[in-house]
Amino acid sequence: MTITKTLALALTLGISASALHAADLRIGLQEDPDILDPDQSRTFVGRIVYASLCDKLVDITPELEIVPQLATGWDWSDDGLELTMTLRDGVTFHDGTAFDAKAVVANIDRSQNMDESRRKSELTSITAAEAVDDLTVKFTLGAPDATLLAQLADRAGMMVSPTAATEAGVDFGLNPVCSGPFKFVERVQQDRIVLEKFTGYWDADAIHFDTVVFLPIPDTTVRLANLRSGDLDMLERLAATDVASVADDGSLLMEQAVSLGYQGITVNVANGERAASPIGESSAVRRALSLAIDRKVINQVVFEGAFAAGNQPFPPTSPWYNKDFPVPERDVAAARALLEEAGFADGITIEVQVPNNPVQMQLMQVVQAMAAEAGITVELQAKEFATLLSDQTAGAYTASQIGWSGRVDPDGNIHQFMTTDGGINDSHYSNPQVDELLNGARVSNDMATRKQSYDSALAILQDDMPIIYLYHQAWIWALDDKVQGFVPYPDGMIRLQGVSFSQ
């Protein structure tokens, strides 16, 4: 990207270069989001766009406390089977449709029943949603659900205009209509997403930009160069190798937060014909690949020690981590023994698709070299991120280097990936014992009971290993020093309330 491209964008929007500098925020994304429909989408960068586009029923603080957003308060019944929410008055969607209890009911129905919805498994506990009055909605649950508020703090709780959703149907993501601080203007795939300030926003005084432009730039070096040249005002996911350089640059600021998520290799174990591979059919092969990898070396070589080695959906610092299964040391001999046990004494070849950005490519090249020493030839197939996700969903892959941005409640990091009908179970992994344990963890509000369920499930998953976990990253943002008021959150989102340019 060049300044010429930025000025061309300014002309497209009908604003001058000086106005662009004063009122337009340009954010560099590591990938291009998939479809901009909260019910259908699954990318991390899509959630960053939603933070400006679509308000939720509740939000979180940097300390991970659930706080009001479109719902101003809530109460649980004594038996945990009813959740009653009071809604914010005077809120409208970007198309002028009123936000009220009926709109909430329509959103829940869409999330649960639209064929293409990926939010179904996140809202399975809700058996009925009722508009008690204009500003009161009641959810009836089939069983207590300790995860529900956390789900409503993410895409399952994002409210879209029922009017627009009904008219557009499955194509809603082409022109999304929500109730957030900015409304949708245009999208050019692989180039930009443009939003403009919604003057009718309920908290408009906290918003200080006329437009926000999201620019997907997969190459971390190019992304940082654009920030330094003034073509970007901030970027998400600064490469760990650039931390020292940015820290020494007096014209830039840097913010960090420990991530809630993970990165790993998702294996196709039963998702169509491509599951018929040595690594898909044999857990011993998957465990062999895991043992061939030195996670601590990856952290040092690729991330200069900025991240944390991992082997579970929760980082070792999390209270939900199963300490009975610490991050394994690399053991090439054991890896070869497992291959021989699986009938592949002469070695195997596996294809792994990987996002086409330099960091993930470097990561997998290190994995590739380590695996080769254990008799595992890894062939890398670089793909644009949205294409990678589409192929993964369709089962058009053998293994996929991909991660998850993490959720406030532990359920969000494991249930939808590991249960038989999980909304993002692209492995198509299925184990009735794991289903029972993870479903059971959802219905208890007792931390010790939930921890026991997760520990038992993780013990099984250490053997089955449909996902080979590699590391847990920290979110690192780089900003032009004129940007003020930005607050880092552990979920990696960019919330623009209170953010502005210094005068």
Side-chain angles (χ1 to χ4, degrees):
M1 183 184 304
T2 64
I3 291 176
T4 301
K5 180 177 179 180
T6 304
L7 291 178
L9 175 59
L11 295 174
T12 299
L13 297 176
I15 55 180
S16 69
S18 59
L20 178 69
H21 179 76
D24 177 79
L25 183 71
R26 297 154 300 176
I27 300 175
L29 302 178
Q30 184 164 294
E31 299 105 13
D32 195 33
D34 58 351
I35 186 169
L36 292 178
D37 180 342
D39 280 328
Q40 297 187 64
S41 65
R42 58 178 294 173
T43 56
F44 171 70
V45 285
R47 293 173 61 222
I48 293 177
V49 175
Y50 292 143
S52 294
L53 183 65
C54 301
D55 275 2
K56 302 162 292 190
L57 289 173
V58 293
D59 200 7
I60 62 169
T61 68
E63 296 75 33
L64 305 182
E65 177 188 1
I66 304 290
V67 293
Q69 193 166 70
L70 291 177
T72 57
W74 51 89
D75 292 296
W76 286 99
S77 62
D78 291 341
D79 60 8
L81 296 179
E82 289 185 354
L83 172 63
T84 302
M85 285 186 151
T86 302
L87 306 178
R88 191 175 298 279
D89 195 8
V91 174
T92 59
F93 292 100
H94 300 152
D95 61 357
T97 300
F99 169 75
D100 55 18
K102 290 181 180 178
V104 175
V105 171
N107 270 266
I108 298 300
D109 178 71
R110 183 176 192 263
S111 296
Q112 289 185 320
N113 297 309
M114 184 173 71
D115 289 343
E116 297 80 7
S117 175
R118 295 184 178 278
R119 309 283 81 85
K120 294 177 182 179
S121 66
E122 299 166 15
L123 298 173
T124 53
S125 62
I126 297 178
T127 58
E130 173 190 355
V132 178
D133 57 41
D134 286 349
L135 296 177
T136 308
V137 63
K138 182 174 73 174
F139 303 120
T140 301
L141 281 58
D145 184 358
T147 76
L148 184 56
L149 280 177
Q151 301 289 9
L152 296 177
D154 202 346
R155 282 173 292 207
M158 292 178 187
M159 297 289 105
V160 306
S161 165
T163 303
T166 299
E167 291 177 354
V170 72
D171 293 326
F172 175 83
L174 299 177
N175 185 24
V177 180
C178 296
S179 65
F182 295 87
K183 62 182 181 180
F184 181 79
V185 175
E186 69 164 346
R187 178 179 190 176
V188 179
Q189 294 286 148
Q190 308 300 323
D191 185 78
R192 64 183 182 269
I193 295 171
V194 182
L195 310 181
E196 68 179 13
K197 183 176 180 178
F198 176 44
T199 56
Y201 186 54
W202 61 270
D203 194 21
D205 290 345
I207 304 302
H208 305 293
F209 299 108
D210 294 321
T211 62
V212 180
V213 182
F214 296 95
L215 301 157
I217 308 174
D219 190 304
T220 55
T221 301
V222 174
R223 203 157 67 246
L224 179 55
N226 274 263
L227 178 65
R228 285 195 159 119
S229 71
D231 285 333
L232 292 176
D233 301 305
M234 68 183 299
L235 61 83
E236 55 95 14
R237 279 179 287 180
L238 177 72
T241 51
D242 291 323
V243 166
S245 172
V246 170
D248 291 338
D249 190 330
S251 67
L252 300 179
L253 304 173
M254 187 170 61
E255 296 286 355
Q256 300 184 55
V258 176
S259 165
L260 301 172
Y262 62 81
Q263 287 282 332
I265 300 172
T266 295
V267 180
N268 184 348
V269 300
N271 189 356
E273 295 179 358
R274 293 289 296 275
S277 70
I279 195 168
E281 294 177 335
S282 172
S283 64
V285 171
R286 299 193 286 275
R287 284 181 278 128
L289 177 57
S290 178
L291 284 172
I293 297 170
D294 192 323
R295 291 159 170 82
K296 294 176 183 177
V297 168
I298 285 175
N299 185 36
Q300 293 301 323
V301 170
V302 184
F303 305 114
E304 298 195 358
F307 296 166
N311 66 323
Q312 297 178 30
F314 320 119
T317 55
S318 169
W320 304 102
Y321 186 82
N322 188 337
K323 294 181 180 179
D324 290 338
F325 302 99
V327 176
E329 298 292 333
R330 187 182 189 222
D331 192 334
V332 174
R336 285 188 173 275
L338 281 170
L339 284 183
E340 185 172 356
E341 172 191 317
F344 301 104
D346 294 331
I348 61 166
T349 298
I350 61 172
E351 180 187 278
V352 180
Q353 60 175 8
V354 58
N356 63 341
N357 69 71
V359 174
Q360 306 315 119
M361 284 299 297
Q362 184 187 5
L363 162 70
M364 286 308 300
Q365 286 163 358
V366 173
V367 169
Q368 186 180 49
M370 291 176 174
E373 296 180 15
I376 303 172
T377 300
V378 175
E379 297 179 345
L380 299 180
Q381 186 177 22
K383 295 183 179 181
E384 185 274 323
F385 191 66
T387 300
L388 178 147
L389 278 181
S390 177
D391 288 349
Q392 188 173 300
T393 301
Y397 79 109
T398 300
S400 182
Q401 194 289 298
I402 194 168
W404 181 244
S405 54
R407 296 296 181 266
V408 176
D409 190 275
D411 178 88
N413 278 22
I414 188 170
H415 189 279
Q416 55 196 333
F417 300 96
M418 297 299 177
T419 53
T420 300
D421 296 318
I424 317 180
N425 182 357
D426 292 335
S427 291
H428 283 202
Y429 169 75
S430 180
N431 185 315
Q433 287 180 280
V434 172
D435 289 351
E436 183 179 357
L437 289 164
L438 295 183
N439 288 332
R442 283 186 153 188
V443 302
S444 174
N445 286 310
D446 180 72
M447 181 170 176
T449 300
R450 298 187 77 198
K451 180 69 166 64
Q452 185 176 14
S453 294
Y454 289 126
D455 280 351
S456 298
L458 288 169
I460 297 170
L461 293 170
Q462 287 295 306
D463 286 332
D464 291 352
M465 207 168 285
I467 297 179
I468 301 167
Y469 301 99
L470 298 177
Y471 66 92
H472 305 274
Q473 67 191 84
W475 302 127
I476 309 173
W477 297 267
L479 310 89
D480 188 286
D481 66 356
K482 70 177 179 292
V483 178
Q484 60 184 14
F486 175 72
V487 178
Y489 278 68
D491 62 0
M493 297 301 100
I494 297 174
R495 292 166 173 82
L496 294 179
Q497 286 81 351
V499 181
S500 64
F501 289 148
S502 58
Q503 299 299 317

